[in-house]
Amino acid sequence: MSIGYACLTVGVPNTNFKSCIMKNFSESKLLELISHNLNSLENIIDYNIKNNIKLFRLSSDVIPFGSSPINTLPWWDLFSNRFSAMGNKVNSNGIRISMHPGQYTVLNSPNEDVVYRAIEDLKYHNRFLDSFDVGTQHKIVLHIGGIYNNKEEAITRFITNYYKLDESVKSRIVIENDDKLYNIGDVLDISKTIKVPVIYDNLHSQINPFDKEKKDFHWIELCRETWKEKDGFQKVHYSQQDVLKRIGSHSTTINVNGFLDYYETLEGRQDLDIMLEVKDKNLSAIKCINCTTNNRKISALELEWTRYKYLVLEKAPTNYLQIRKLLNDKDSYPVISFYNLIENALQKEININHSINAAQHIWGYFKDIALEKERSSFFKSLENYEKGKVTLKTIKNLLWKLTQKYNQTYLMDSYYFIV
DNA sequence: CACCGTCAAGTCGCA
DNA sequence: TGCGACTTGACGGTG
């Protein structure tokens, strides 16, 4: 079983993607953007390898205007060396990649033009994955599309248009239930005709159920039948509702207790990959991996603690002390209590005294090496923050600059700087 | 450097 | 029939 995350990272330097608006489009601009984005993508892959994350969705935005007629660059050729290098890393580390065109790629539209663009977009996604030289278990996830006042016809159109796709594109397509129009029953039905694997999304099914009496595992077992040998392990999407936001909004982080409730219903099945859809991305991936791994070593939690500790200290000093105590027994693996305390701390409102205390802790790394003007600048900012003149972000930016300047590797990976 | 409107895509609900 | 909402992260212009 692999657990992974989608497209972007949180708190990993040099992993951002750039784009431009059509108005500023030019070939040289495009070359520059692609080159930058491929660097970022390789950094993400390196990060995933280092953190033992074996499942990752590639962003569609790596090649700006990837399927647009304005992009006539043979990027797969121009950057073939870069793709090979990344492909080797993916293959040799047993990483499974995937892509997921957005909600605007609609294969079943009654508008021919829209369908044409959808087909072009799927070709782009397939070409992108092909550039890594990976097999057909590396999938392209697609929703069914719109209804246009006649669901039956819309489904027929989806099937007809699916058959128009190239064999190589079809070999990667998998279909997913959505939160509005096509529930898991609909998607499984479509799969019966076109024999395409089905991804079960738990949150979509909760919002748009076929039969709300049926549990997640029921659907996962039915979907399992749609995955063949050449498709690799069955994949599912897992996410939780953000309680403060609109129905369907993904949560900030994956709540460990909720995830484990779900995980336990899977009856120990290991031939299943779980793609998390969550705002804190890689952070939740590491969390869920640590919660489900058979390799229960406290060193994994200690490593996590180096990343979370100042954020916890800033939000909840009590939790900070509790976690330190929790990690004292080196033969234990108190993973659930550990993440419960972290999640609890991060939910708390910022308290000005606690945040000043945490900033001073970080300052401790620099107090003996910083220049006098850096010292005065820090304390001046701290004073201004206390008076409400500047935000905490200013303080953190200042400390982040010092972290980089003085190469404080221990602080480099700290989530403290992700405001 | 912080802030915020804009961009890009297609569908659907509502005047 | 046409317009606004929906979604997302980055752009790009302003202060």
Side-chain angles (χ1 to χ4, degrees):
Chain A
M1 166 182 287
S2 301
I3 299 173
Y5 66 100
C7 304
L8 306 174
T9 61
V10 166
V12 185
N14 305 316
T15 59
N16 67 315
F17 295 119
K18 291 187 178 185
S19 61
C20 71
I21 56 173
M22 280 193 174
K23 199 180 76 182
N24 299 334
F25 181 89
S26 71
E27 204 161 85
S28 63
K29 178 89 183 164
L30 186 59
L31 277 169
E32 176 193 317
L33 293 173
I34 294 174
S35 182
H36 171 92
N37 292 346
L38 290 175
N39 275 342
S40 291
L41 184 56
E42 186 150 9
N43 289 337
I44 293 175
I45 290 169
D46 290 342
Y47 167 87
N48 289 342
I49 292 168
K50 200 171 138 197
N51 288 279
N52 208 28
I53 299 171
K54 306 280 189 188
L55 187 69
F56 179 61
R57 180 190 302 163
L58 307 180
S59 166
S60 302
D61 299 332
V62 176
I63 311 295
F65 308 102
S67 63
S68 163
I70 66 171
N71 180 350
T72 53
L73 278 179
W75 46 266
W76 55 94
D77 239 8
L78 297 170
F79 296 96
S80 61
N81 292 341
R82 310 280 292 282
F83 281 105
S84 302
M86 286 190 279
N88 286 337
K89 289 181 184 183
V90 165
N91 286 320
S92 64
N93 286 281
I95 291 174
R96 187 183 198 189
I97 53 179
S98 64
M99 297 189 86
H100 193 358
Q103 57 183 309
Y104 301 110
T105 303
V106 188
L107 193 58
N108 77 339
S109 174
N111 180 332
E112 275 180 35
D113 223 37
V114 171
V115 175
Y116 171 79
R117 282 195 290 271
I119 292 173
E120 289 300 301
D121 202 42
L122 291 170
K123 280 186 195 165
Y124 154 64
H125 284 87
N126 185 51
R127 179 165 246 164
F128 196 79
L129 287 170
D130 275 351
S131 302
F132 286 77
D133 195 23
V134 291
T136 53
Q137 67 273 37
H138 303 262
K139 295 299 185 186
I140 297 170
V141 184
L142 191 61
H143 289 294
I144 305 304
I147 284 187
Y148 318 93
N149 302 317
N150 188 331
K151 198 166 186 176
E152 213 175 305
E153 278 178 20
I155 288 173
T156 305
R157 214 160 39 236
F158 180 86
I159 291 167
T160 310
N161 292 340
Y162 168 80
Y163 285 129
K164 289 181 189 164
L165 299 170
D166 296 342
E167 283 305 319
S168 60
V169 175
K170 280 193 284 188
S171 71
R172 291 198 193 278
I173 297 277
V174 298
I175 50 181
E176 182 196 352
N177 60 312
D178 68 69
D179 59 355
K180 287 195 177 69
L181 306 177
Y182 293 93
N183 62 40
I184 189 61
D186 299 326
V187 177
L188 280 165
D189 247 9
I190 294 168
S191 168
K192 281 202 182 95
T193 307
I194 59 175
K195 313 286 181 210
V196 157
V198 176
I199 291 212
Y200 175 70
D201 183 306
N202 70 305
L203 185 60
H204 290 165
S205 201
Q206 186 185 308
I207 298 163
N208 178 25
F210 172 77
D211 175 355
K212 57 176 179 287
E213 300 303 313
K214 295 280 195 287
K215 299 212 164 66
D216 290 328
F217 191 61
H218 168 81
W219 299 116
I220 291 172
E221 283 298 271
L222 288 182
C223 289
R224 184 182 196 182
E225 305 299 315
T226 64
W227 292 77
K228 309 296 178 207
E229 183 88 33
K230 63 179 168 53
D231 300 313
F233 280 2
Q234 174 182 4
K235 273 182 75 180
V236 296
H237 288 175
Y238 178 80
S239 59
Q240 296 172 347
Q241 173 68 45
D242 186 318
V243 283
L244 303 172
K245 293 201 188 132
R246 199 196 82 261
I247 296 287
S249 282
H250 295 147
S251 60
T252 317
T253 192
I254 297 290
N255 168 257
V256 156
N257 301 328
F259 178 74
L260 287 175
D261 285 346
Y262 170 87
Y263 182 78
E264 277 154 24
T265 67
L266 302 179
E267 298 185 358
R269 278 191 40 205
Q270 290 298 305
D271 54 347
L272 178 79
D273 287 344
I274 304 176
M275 175 59 72
L276 304 176
E277 295 184 319
V278 58
K279 297 271 187 278
D280 74 354
K281 304 286 182 184
N282 46 310
L283 275 57
S284 276
I286 294 176
K287 186 200 285 190
C288 293
I289 290 168
N290 283 341
C291 283
T292 54
T293 181
N294 293 322
N295 188 21
R296 296 166 67 88
K297 296 272 165 52
I298 200 163
S299 55
L301 302 184
E302 288 171 333
L303 179 60
E304 279 283 80
W305 184 228
T306 66
R307 298 159 172 157
Y308 279 107
K309 68 195 310 179
Y310 296 114
L311 206 48
V312 171
L313 180 65
E314 167 178 271
K315 294 276 193 143
T318 325
N319 296 40
Y320 179 88
L321 293 172
Q322 283 176 284
I323 294 172
R324 276 175 53 147
K325 212 164 153 188
L326 198 62
L327 296 178
N328 275 343
D329 180 359
K330 300 302 174 198
D331 294 323
S332 68
Y333 190 72
V335 65
I336 298 173
S337 322
F338 175 77
Y339 284 116
N340 278 338
L341 282 164
I342 286 176
E343 284 175 21
N344 174 273
L346 300 198
Q347 277 169 12
K348 293 187 194 289
E349 291 292 317
I350 279 282
N351 167 305
I352 193 153
N353 293 323
H354 294 162
S355 55
I356 288 173
N357 178 44
Q360 284 170 334
H361 258 77
I362 308 262
W363 173 253
Y365 286 86
F366 308 111
K367 65 178 170 53
D368 296 331
I369 49 176
L371 303 174
E372 184 47 41
K373 70 170 188 189
E374 288 164 345
R375 165 183 301 276
S376 64
S377 166
F378 172 71
F379 283 103
K380 186 77 196 165
S381 293
L382 211 55
E383 213 173 282
N384 282 335
Y385 172 60
E386 219 167 346
K387 289 180 193 158
K389 285 185 185 170
V390 299
T391 62
L392 186 54
K393 194 168 172 158
T394 310
I395 310 279
K396 292 197 180 189
N397 284 346
L398 201 151
L399 288 169
W400 176 240
K401 286 220 175 86
L402 293 174
T403 298
Q404 288 174 302
K405 178 180 171 185
Y406 294 107
N407 198 26
Q408 291 292 325
T409 46
Y410 188 82
L411 292 178
M412 292 273 188
D413 297 330
S414 176
Y415 299 154
Y416 175 78
F417 298 106
I418 317 164
V419 184

